Coordinates of all heavy atoms in Angstrom, one line a residue:
T325 N 6.7 10.9 13.5 CA 5.7 9.9 13.6 C 4.8 9.9 12.4 O 4.3 10.9 12.0 CB 4.8 10.1 14.9 OG1 5.7 9.9 16.1 CG2 3.7 9.1 15.0
D326 N 4.6 8.7 11.9 CA 3.8 8.5 10.7 C 2.3 8.9 11.0 O 1.7 8.4 11.9 CB 3.9 7.0 10.3 CG 3.3 6.7 8.9 OD1 2.4 7.5 8.4 OD2 3.7 5.7 8.4
P327 N 1.7 9.8 10.2 CA 0.3 10.2 10.5 C -0.6 9.0 10.4 O -1.7 9.0 11.0 CB 0.0 11.2 9.5 CG 1.0 11.2 8.5 CD 2.2 10.6 9.1
R328 N -0.2 8.0 9.6 CA -1.0 6.7 9.5 C -1.0 6.0 10.9 O -1.9 5.2 11.2 CB -0.5 5.9 8.4 CG -0.5 6.6 7.0 CD 0.1 5.7 6.0 NE 1.6 5.5 6.2 CZ 2.4 4.8 5.5 NH1 1.9 4.2 4.4 NH2 3.6 4.6 5.8
F329 N 0.1 6.1 11.6 CA 0.2 5.5 13.0 C -0.8 6.3 13.9 O -1.6 5.7 14.6 CB 1.6 5.6 13.5 CG 1.8 5.2 14.9 CD1 2.0 3.9 15.3 CD2 1.7 6.2 16.0 CE1 2.2 3.5 16.6 CE2 1.8 5.8 17.3 CZ 2.1 4.5 17.6
T330 N -0.7 7.6 13.8 CA -1.5 8.5 14.7 C -3.0 8.3 14.5 O -3.8 8.2 15.4 CB -1.1 10.0 14.4 OG1 0.3 10.1 14.4 CG2 -1.7 10.9 15.4
V331 N -3.4 8.2 13.2 CA -4.9 8.1 12.9 C -5.4 6.8 13.5 O -6.5 6.7 14.0 CB -5.2 8.4 11.5 CG1 -4.8 7.2 10.6 CG2 -6.7 8.7 11.3
Q332 N -4.6 5.7 13.4 CA -5.0 4.4 13.9 C -5.0 4.5 15.5 O -6.0 3.9 16.1 CB -4.1 3.3 13.5 CG -4.1 3.0 12.0 CD -3.2 1.9 11.6 OE1 -3.5 0.8 11.6 NE2 -2.0 2.3 11.2
L333 N -4.1 5.1 16.0 CA -4.1 5.2 17.5 C -5.3 6.0 18.0 O -5.9 5.6 19.0 CB -2.8 5.9 18.0 CG -2.5 5.9 19.5 CD1 -2.4 4.5 20.0 CD2 -1.2 6.7 19.8
E334 N -5.6 7.1 17.3 CA -6.8 7.8 17.6 C -8.1 7.0 17.5 O -9.0 7.0 18.4 CB -7.0 9.1 16.7 CG -6.1 10.2 17.1 CD -5.9 11.2 16.0 OE1 -6.6 11.1 14.9 OE2 -5.1 12.2 16.2
F335 N -8.2 6.2 16.4 CA -9.3 5.3 16.2 C -9.4 4.3 17.4 O -10.5 4.1 18.0 CB -9.2 4.6 14.9 CG -10.3 3.7 14.5 CD1 -11.4 4.2 13.7 CD2 -10.5 2.4 14.9 CE1 -12.4 3.4 13.3 CE2 -11.5 1.6 14.6 CZ -12.5 2.1 13.7
Y353 N 5.7 2.9 22.2 CA 5.9 4.2 21.6 C 6.7 5.2 22.5 O 7.4 6.1 22.1 CB 4.6 4.8 21.2 CG 4.5 6.1 20.4 CD1 5.5 6.5 19.6 CD2 3.3 6.9 20.5 CE1 5.4 7.8 18.9 CE2 3.2 8.1 19.8 CZ 4.3 8.5 19.0 OH 4.2 9.7 18.3
I376 N 1.3 -0.2 14.5 CA 0.0 -0.4 15.2 C -1.0 -1.1 14.4 O -2.0 -1.7 15.0 CB -0.5 1.0 15.6 CG1 -1.8 0.9 16.5 CG2 -0.7 1.9 14.4 CD1 -2.2 2.2 17.1

Side-chain angles (χ1 to χ4, degrees):
T325 294
D326 191 337
R328 301 173 296 178
F329 174 88
T330 311
V331 74
Q332 292 181 89
L333 190 58
E334 281 164 4
F335 185 93
Y353 183 28
I376 185 170

